Amino acid sequence: MKTQNGAFASTGSACPKKATELFFVTHPMVLKALLGPFLTEADAECGRVVMRSADAHVTACLVDSIDDITRWHGVNNGRVCRAFAGADRREASHG
């Protein structure tokens, strides 16, 4: 895409990324999410396993878009919870 002066428009970090859902780990005894955001339900499920509580569950929140910081947190939270849940080791052994 070109702007009026002929220069190409930036498509870097200023552009928000599209997403339909963010996932969180919640517990009925706590008013706000315990873990999250996560970009995938599978990552949030790993977070729920890490919580070691039968009452913890995964909830989803619909969003129009997410910014780069939220995306980074979602990716990072997923990596950390997969590592603690042992999901990375299971994937590596099957891969």
Side-chain angles (χ1 to χ4, degrees):
M1 181 169 103
K2 288 190 176 187
T3 60
Q4 288 182 346
N5 65 3
F8 285 97
S10 172
T11 58
S13 62
C15 295
K17 306 289 189 249
K18 291 290 181 184
T20 55
E21 291 179 304
L22 289 175
F23 299 91
F24 298 87
V25 176
T26 59
H27 192 281
M29 295 184 71
V30 181
L31 294 177
K32 63 182 204 169
L34 297 173
L35 293 175
F38 296 96
L39 299 181
T40 67
E41 187 173 6
D43 286 349
E45 182 61 27
C46 285
R48 189 194 63 75
V49 169
V50 168
M51 291 301 300
R52 295 184 181 193
S53 172
D55 294 330
H57 57 275
V58 173
T59 59
C61 177
L62 293 175
V63 294
D64 291 328
S65 64
I66 58 173
D67 59 22
D68 286 341
I69 293 172
T70 304
R71 178 170 295 282
W72 179 87
H73 280 287
V75 168
N76 190 57
N77 290 340
R79 287 179 183 156
V80 169
C81 287
R82 282 192 311 272
F84 277 100
D88 286 340
R89 287 184 292 262
R90 286 192 297 266
E91 289 174 9
S93 67
H94 290 115

